[in-house]
Amino acid sequence: MSDAATAVLVVEDEPQIRRFVCNALRDDQCQALEAGTATGGLEIVAREPVHLVILDLGLPDRDGISFIRDLRNWSAVPILVLSARSAEQDKIEALDTGADDYLTKPFGVGELRARVRALLRRQQQRVDAGAVHVFGDVAVDLSRRIVTRAGAEVHLTQREYHLLAVMVANTGRVMTQRYLMNQVWGPGHSQDSHYLRVYVGRLRQKLEADPTQPHYILTETGIGYRFQP
Amino acid sequence: MSDAATAVLVVEDEPQIRRFVCNALRDDQCQALEAGTATGGLEIVAREPVHLVILDLGLPDRDGISFIRDLRNWSAVPILVLSARSAEQDKIEALDTGADDYLTKPFGVGELRARVRALLRRQQQRVDAGAVHVFGDVAVDLSRRIVTRAGAEVHLTQREYHLLAVMVANTGRVMTQRYLMNQVWGPGHSQDSHYLRVYVGRLRQKLEADPTQPHYILTETGIGYRFQP
DNA sequence: ACCTTGTTTACACCTTTTTTACATCAACTG
DNA sequence: CAGTTGATGTAAAAAAGGTGTAAACAAGGT
């Protein structure tokens, strides 16, 4: 079900359990990202394309429920909660705040993996493994992080590539400036949309035949942008 | 989360548990449908619009796993499995066959309801994402914010699109000028109905075959407008 | 110190929205 | 039935606001 291009973030403070969970996921060919704190976890979701979050409710720096609430303000990524607390009220609270599943410790690694597969199956905007997105003479290889134009490789900086990756993942859809800012610069920069204008300009410069009249990265005035091959 | 129009099918052979589950759901304002056999359950899903299936794996007429496999051949409706079997292998098999959640008996009614709400919340997002309104050669994709006419894309400004979206949402109904002004320009502009005339004109120009004799956006003199595909 | 990348600023340019003016239509009334 | 009146349709302007680009500055790594 899951593939190499699927990124799962594990937010868990105990290194031992974190290792354990990450290894279980890697067997399923997921890319496992790790965070030891709630704050660190939010930053990663904001910066990287994450397809599933596995969250331990007992974090040192912050309440797990408030983590869910915070994340749900700007992301719809599925959340699987791990918790030592088995009381019904805890489960209800987590699920109603926005979690998609709740697994009580101790749990079997097989069940965890099956539930992860079930959640990822539901996830719509998953990117196919090794899928190379081609438009015109440009090709974007998301799994290898390589962009070529007319066969020659185009060098993109980290921000440029991240922005392009978000756009490719949302092909055909209108993306608000707010959404793009959250995805690429993280929450807290929703206002600074001039970053976006600069970087969209640079991408057009590198990818469009005529940067003055873009054919791929289209402007939706007053809203944001749309990527259309 | 769930509303009166949400239909949940409970497939369970023990009448006592079936009653118990159905009552729990009705408290959440779901419409609960019931089936005592796998065959009966499949028939109901085929006939009625069902938003969620709650399935007991231990059915008299048929294996629960084969029920899931059968259903998944032609339906993507979310499935929540109830089972007395708590072995890990049973959970893995059900989830990998196509179930979305697995709850072991005995379970708390609060947890069941919370998991139902979580599944319906996800389902609702999918429904919203797929809504495309078609009339004549025009198609309005509300989730992607794209309007096409005869296959070609029609560029709409923010106000134009907002106005069209309100009209599409009230298809067939008469909308007063006051209502439309409130929806698109916000309260405080109820008087400036000349905005409306300008923008209705622009929408007709872009969407109607003959803007002079509109077929979709009709004028209700003295009242407002009506959108009729 | 140099090079690359990311951030910030400034300004010219373009789109959208609002405003205005006038033409047209429909209904009513004498 | 023609004229009047109020409501609606269209076109083109002025105003407001958003966007594109270049270039300077800051930060970080080699």
Side-chain angles (χ1 to χ4, degrees), chain B residues 85-156:
Chain B
R85 310 179 66 177
S86 62
E88 190 176 19
Q89 200 48 51
D90 291 315
K91 299 182 186 176
I92 295 174
E93 188 181 9
L95 291 169
D96 277 346
T97 306
D100 293 276
D101 202 347
Y102 191 107
L103 199 48
T104 308
K105 300 181 196 175
F107 51 84
V109 62
E111 178 176 358
L112 171 67
R113 286 168 55 181
R115 288 190 180 270
V116 166
R117 283 194 294 273
L119 286 169
L120 288 175
R121 193 199 310 138
R122 278 275 161 215
Q123 177 69 357
Q124 193 55 46
Q125 285 174 11
R126 283 165 54 89
V127 170
D128 291 345
V132 179
H133 296 79
V134 180
F135 46 99
D137 59 350
V138 178
V140 181
D141 186 332
L142 289 176
S143 72
R144 295 194 301 167
R145 213 215 96 111
I146 291 174
V147 179
T148 58
R149 182 173 168 203
E153 188 179 335
V154 177
H155 177 76
L156 295 185

Side-chain angles (χ1 to χ4, degrees), chain B residues 155 157 159 185 195 199 202:
Chain B
H155 177 76
T157 71
R159 285 248 194 270
W185 276 268
Y195 291 7
Y199 275 84
R202 289 184 190 167

